[in-house]
Amino acid sequence: MYACTKFVTVPALVWRSPRVLCQPLSASLLSIPSAQMEQVHPSARRTIVTSVARRDIDTAAKFIGAGAATVGVAGSGAGIGTVFGSLIIGYARNPSLKQQLFSYAILGFALSEAMGLFCLMVAFLILFAM
């Protein structure tokens, strides 16, 4: 509590109290005339242009995001391989269920391929829509 009263009783804050009440405490302390840095002539200031660097960072982020989104396509390929590998094993164990196993395999192939296409679609959205 005592530390707070030391900040409030600073003379520069007391005589500028209406403006101080509208600002955060740190901004009020930094705007004390004795704490301000010396003014630099406007023509001596340098302007920082960051548009090229920002565009490069945005482009790099797009490529990284698109690359991360295409990892799901590899998972889709692994899923399709697993589905048809299981179809062959199931057919070898019970050849009489060939038609039912094949319909289940086509369903598994379609679902796995759809997930791969969704990943590819997200990658293209990241690259070209943003």
Side-chain angles (χ1 to χ4, degrees):
M1 192 65 153
Y2 178 70
C4 293
T5 59
K6 285 196 306 188
F7 285 127
V8 172
T9 58
V10 174
L13 291 176
V14 173
W15 63 269
R16 295 188 317 186
S17 62
R19 197 174 103 200
V20 170
L21 292 175
C22 298
Q23 296 176 343
L25 183 63
S26 60
S28 301
L29 287 176
L30 292 176
S31 65
I32 298 173
S34 63
Q36 287 181 350
M37 294 189 289
E38 59 186 54
Q39 296 290 330
V40 178
H41 193 269
S43 64
R45 291 184 186 166
R46 241 192 224 173
T47 59
I48 299 174
V49 179
T50 60
S51 63
V52 174
R54 184 179 173 107
R55 188 172 42 227
D56 288 344
I57 291 171
D58 289 345
T59 303
K62 280 183 182 182
F63 288 144
I64 291 170
T70 56
V71 171
V73 176
S76 173
I80 291 170
T82 303
V83 165
F84 283 108
S86 297
L87 172 69
I88 292 171
I89 291 171
Y91 180 66
R93 287 186 180 194
N94 194 355
S96 64
L97 294 177
K98 178 181 177 183
Q99 189 61 36
Q100 187 178 4
L101 289 175
F102 187 73
S103 64
Y104 288 150
I106 293 299
L107 179 64
F109 166 77
L111 293 176
S112 183
E113 186 69 22
M115 294 309 295
L117 289 176
F118 288 149
C119 292
L120 197 60
M121 179 189 68
V122 168
F124 283 134
L125 283 174
I126 289 172
L127 281 177
F128 300 114
M130 293 183 180

